[in-house]
Amino acid sequence: MQSFIQYWDSVDQSMIKIYGIDTSDAGISADDIAFAQEALMKPKEFVEWWGSKYDLTPISEYKINLGKSTRVLK
């Protein structure tokens, strides 16, 4: 099992990869991280749950066009 700090680092990396922000930017507290770890949630699973709960937009829904960020409509 990962230590608390290792788990938090994994959550941070997943948050950056999926949403382009870290846990601090997302408002995730140490208590939130501890809850997820105790609930045996995988870091990516927690990040996806958090993103859904707070209606975050994954960076995959954006594209970069000559330095301007535009949302890709589906």
Side-chain angles (χ1 to χ4, degrees):
M1 180 177 216
Q2 292 179 314
S3 73
F4 178 73
I5 295 302
Q6 290 170 326
Y7 183 82
W8 195 331
D9 285 344
S10 295
V11 170
D12 238 355
Q13 290 306 309
S14 290
M15 183 64 71
I16 291 167
K17 184 177 180 179
I18 296 171
Y19 295 106
I21 58 175
D22 63 19
T23 53
S24 177
D25 296 330
I28 298 173
S29 71
D31 288 342
D32 297 322
I33 298 289
F35 168 79
Q37 187 178 30
E38 290 169 6
L40 303 177
M41 295 177 79
K42 292 180 181 177
K44 184 178 178 189
E45 180 183 8
F46 172 71
V47 166
E48 291 170 343
W49 171 81
W50 188 271
S52 177
K53 179 178 179 180
Y54 291 101
D55 198 28
L56 301 179
T57 302
I59 58 175
S60 63
E61 291 189 24
Y62 290 88
K63 67 177 182 177
I64 303 300
N65 184 10
L66 300 175
K68 297 179 182 177
S69 177
T70 56
R71 188 158 186 195
V72 177
L73 300 176
K74 292 184 177 183

